[in-house]
Amino acid sequence: MKPFRYDRATSPAAAVAAVAADPQASYLAGGTNLVDHLRLGLTEPGLLVDVGGLPLHEIEELPDGGLRIGAGVANSDLAADRRVRERYPVLSVALLSGASGQLRNLATTGGNLLQRTRCGYFQDVTEPCNKRAPGSGCAALGGWNRYHAILGASSHCIAVHPSDLAVALTALDARVRVLGVDGERAIPIDDFYRLPGDEPQRDTVLEHGDLITAVDLPPLPVARNSGYRKVRDRASYAFALVSVAAAIRIEDGTVADVRIALGGVAHRPWRAHTAEQALHGAPSTVEGYAAAAARELSAADPLPGNAFKVPLARSVLTSVLTQLAEEAR
Amino acid sequence: METQIGLRVDGTRHTVRIDTRETLLDVLRERLGNTSPKKGCDHGQCGACTVLLDGRRVTTCLALAVSHDGAELTTAAGLASGAQLHPVQQAFVTHDAFQCGYCTPGQVCSAVGMLDEASRGWPSACTEPGELVRLSDAEIAERMSGNLCRCGAYVNIVAAIRQAAVDADAPDTP
């Protein structure tokens, strides 16, 4: 690990000023992803600006009935919050499906969103990786790609975003509040993450110096009937092969509202707009859910190592929607 | 870069000079001589380095010491009261919940933290939404998934934690 300077931020604005002024600076929050990557030599910042002490640890009611989650709220506190469990159960279950109890106590809301989109080759400095070393190539394309993207990938990168939290937030139409040198702005989470294209080194639309201060959840009655299912190679503490976050409202046997996001399938959480559009106003039937899932996955372009994810994602999506629809009646 | 921090470890205050790159695990073991937390994977995957940080279980291999100036740490070595083992430690002995013992201090600290989380009603991934927490074997296994045991003592680890949970619910039962 290369030596670095350490600075404890005294305010969000001071943190932004410190990082924006130094191209070699990085934010430090819980550290569960960054410290690992420092040790692996994947990133070598000259300055760490610690935002862990900033007053961003509250979950507040918004006037419109939504919730504002401070960027520093620990994943464990967010998952256990009574309001989140009642009004947005998909969010609590998604958080609890990720990492381990110890990591969830350290990891923060903002840090979880900004963990790197990555794969095993990104984490191995002896392998080519366009995300870690732009232009070096992609070892995963012809390598072991069981965990990799089936949607929205490019010839430059096929890594997937590993966060479960971000998948739930995508289904919930959350807005990410960001403080930059030019002030604060709110970014809809569906615009927050990037597909790799020819710039896989950029996971999000954030500029250097931008700091996540909070995540806003809109008031969303449909979210009371929501769920998250994660399929993985072992029962716990593993990344998703495929995950589904969904919320649904049924009226008179038809789909009145539905929100769907997929995890483990793309460089970003994958909002299933195609499936949602197919389902709005349609009869609530297993066949309808299966057809909508098939339409969403018709755009899939898998590799030999992850072709199984296409029928897996179809099946899990169909199953989650069917179960939520039964619970909605 | 060198700097100085204060830590309270198992009830004793320390002021220690550190490099900003050092983790809490490195400071505990190499600077303060507390070898109770173990370095297994050094990537947060095995849980052998687990201690209680301000009362919460964390993997110290992923926590930079410099960002925890003033923290209170409890390691497995600090759980006992004199010769009296902590109930979770005693349950591990009673149930033969280890073989080589390398993961045990981390398992014990993790179990202590986990039982506290459960007592506060924190759900896990296998708690049905809206249901109260009942520490079934499946719940214990899920909540302890951040601690690996390469000897494979899991069956007895679950039994030990189940016993400790029952005893904590009925402290006056002989």
Side-chain angles (χ1 to χ4, degrees):
Chain A
M1 204 186 295
K2 289 259 178 80
F4 53 79
R5 289 172 293 120
Y6 171 87
D7 187 11
R8 186 172 287 114
T10 52
S11 71
V16 171
V19 171
D22 184 346
Q24 302 303 315
S26 270
Y27 291 114
L28 170 69
T32 54
N33 191 221
L34 179 63
V35 174
D36 194 29
H37 288 182
L38 290 172
R39 186 172 288 128
L40 289 166
L42 310 183
T43 180
E44 296 178 332
L47 169 67
L48 289 189
V49 175
D50 191 343
V51 293
L54 297 180
L56 303 172
H57 297 276
E58 300 297 320
I59 303 171
E60 303 166 69
E61 294 282 350
L62 289 171
D64 65 3
L67 285 181
R68 173 163 297 169
I69 305 158
V73 173
N75 289 179
S76 49
D77 287 318
L78 184 57
D81 186 88
R82 182 67 56 187
R83 296 160 293 182
V84 170
R85 289 161 66 187
E86 285 176 9
R87 284 145 64 177
Y88 310 94
V90 61
L91 186 55
S92 178
V93 178
L95 279 162
L96 294 169
S97 303
S100 66
Q102 293 99 311
L103 294 192
R104 291 192 294 270
N105 278 336
L106 282 171
T108 65
T109 303
N112 185 310
L113 296 187
L114 290 181
Q115 65 179 305
R116 294 305 308 270
T117 301
R118 61 193 188 271
C119 79
Y121 296 104
F122 170 78
Q123 305 207 128
D124 181 349
V125 294
T126 67
E127 294 280 359
C129 170
N130 289 319
K131 183 180 283 294
R132 171 171 32 79
S136 63
C138 172
L141 269 175
W144 190 79
N145 43 43
R146 174 175 174 78
Y147 275 84
H148 294 68
I150 56 172
L151 289 162
S154 76
S155 59
H156 300 275
C157 181
I158 56 171
V160 298
H161 195 261
S163 169
D164 297 290
L165 167 65
V167 180
L169 291 176
T170 298
L172 294 171
D173 280 318
R175 294 168 74 85
V176 184
R177 294 183 68 84
V178 175
L179 184 66
V181 287
D182 297 324
E184 194 163 36
R185 63 195 194 276
I187 305 173
I189 193 157
D190 212 26
D191 300 331
F192 184 79
Y193 292 104
R194 295 182 68 260
L195 289 176
D198 59 3
E199 279 190 297
Q201 66 273 27
R202 293 183 61 209
D203 296 346
T204 72
V205 299
L206 295 187
E207 301 293 335
H208 182 73
D210 282 343
L211 174 69
I212 297 178
T213 55
V215 175
D216 286 353
L217 298 177
L220 205 60
V222 67
R224 286 182 181 267
N225 184 49
S226 64
Y228 188 76
R229 192 177 304 172
K230 180 175 180 178
V231 179
R232 38 190 162 174
D233 277 332
R234 60 184 183 211
S236 184
Y237 200 14
F239 290 123
L241 292 164
V242 167
S243 70
V244 172
I248 198 164
R249 182 163 55 88
I250 309 294
E251 281 178 12
D252 300 328
T254 63
V255 178
D257 194 359
V258 62
R259 317 291 175 106
I260 306 164
L262 304 176
V265 296
H267 194 263
R268 50 175 294 171
W270 189 267
R271 182 73 183 260
H273 292 291
T274 303
E276 289 181 12
Q277 281 160 16
L279 287 170
H280 271 293
S284 173
T285 64
V286 178
E287 295 75 21
Y289 297 131
R295 281 177 70 168
E296 188 66 48
L297 272 299
S298 67
D301 186 14
L303 295 154
N306 64 11
F308 73 97
K309 282 191 178 186
V310 180
L312 179 64
R314 279 200 304 260
S315 301
V316 178
L317 178 50
T318 305
S319 169
V320 167
L321 292 173
T322 304
Q323 185 182 341
L324 284 172
E326 282 173 7
E327 289 166 2
R329 282 187 303 178
Chain B
M1 309 289 292
E2 291 255 315
T3 188
Q4 183 172 295
I5 61 167
L7 292 173
R8 193 176 167 92
V9 181
D10 296 337
T12 303
R13 283 189 191 286
H14 300 273
T15 302
V16 57
R17 281 205 75 74
I18 60 161
D19 185 288
T20 52
R21 292 170 290 180
E22 285 176 68
T23 60
L24 282 176
L25 177 62
D26 290 332
V27 171
L28 284 167
R29 291 183 59 87
E30 309 298 335
R31 302 269 184 192
L32 302 178
N34 184 333
T35 55
S36 165
K38 300 292 187 281
K39 186 175 282 194
C41 68
D42 219 15
H43 292 288
Q45 296 169 0
C46 76
C49 68
T50 302
V51 311
L52 301 173
L53 168 63
D54 296 326
R56 293 183 170 204
R57 56 177 173 157
V58 302
T59 44
T60 50
C61 72
L62 293 181
L64 287 178
V66 66
S67 71
H68 295 284
D69 185 16
E72 169 124 22
L73 304 177
T74 303
T75 73
L79 284 171
S81 311
Q84 183 77 34
L85 291 180
H86 184 282
V88 171
Q89 292 174 314
Q90 184 58 55
F92 269 63
V93 173
T94 303
H95 289 270
D96 198 17
F98 47 85
Q99 190 178 139
C100 83
Y102 192 80
C103 73
T104 308
Q107 297 274 6
V108 167
C109 284
S110 188
V112 171
M114 180 277 269
L115 291 172
D116 179 58
E117 293 164 7
S119 74
R120 280 186 276 143
W122 286 16
S124 83
C126 62
T127 310
E128 283 296 317
E131 297 287 312
L132 290 175
V133 173
R134 288 183 9 261
L135 283 183
S136 63
D137 288 1
E139 279 275 5
I140 293 170
E142 164 59 30
R143 288 165 188 265
M144 292 295 293
S145 69
N147 291 82
L148 303 184
C149 170
R150 294 201 67 180
C151 301
Y154 295 112
V155 173
N156 290 359
I157 290 170
V158 170
I161 295 172
R162 189 198 312 127
Q163 159 111 54
V166 169
D167 290 350
D169 274 350
D172 297 329
T173 307

